[in-house]
Amino acid sequence: SEQSDKAGVAVDDVEITAKIKAAFFAESGLKTLQISVETIKGVVTLSGSVDSLSNSDIAQRMAGAVTGVSKVNNRLVLKSVK
């Protein structure tokens, strides 16, 4: 049924978001950063701020490596470190 299909997609999105957040937390350079992860139908949007372009790239690569992710929109912004 269409209802169970929608529920299946929603659970997958929640699972993807949880896996990405867990991966970020395990990565020492990313765990202290405020990165928001939103997943809709396998499309992940990363937002928030990072302290370096390399961490932005790492976050994007890690998110893209999670099973079920079809695309990553990297909206992370570089914050200036004082």
Side-chain angles (χ1 to χ4, degrees):
S1 76
E2 196 177 316
Q3 198 67 35
S4 65
D5 286 349
K6 281 184 182 168
V9 168
V11 169
D12 289 345
D13 286 345
V14 169
E15 199 174 304
I16 289 168
T17 299
K19 284 180 180 174
I20 293 170
K21 286 185 173 180
F24 287 176
F25 192 74
E27 181 70 33
S28 61
L30 299 179
K31 69 179 176 185
T32 58
L33 301 175
Q34 298 296 311
I35 299 176
S36 171
V37 180
E38 184 181 31
T39 309
I40 299 171
K41 295 182 181 173
V43 177
V44 176
T45 301
L46 304 176
S47 57
S49 57
V50 290
D51 53 4
S52 69
L53 287 174
S54 65
N55 277 339
S56 176
D57 291 343
I58 290 166
Q60 184 169 346
R61 268 203 312 277
M62 290 174 82
V66 171
T67 304
V69 174
S70 60
K71 182 180 177 196
V72 178
N73 293 320
N74 186 342
R75 299 212 177 115
L76 296 170
V77 293
L78 192 59
K79 68 177 177 189
S80 56
V81 180
K82 292 179 180 163

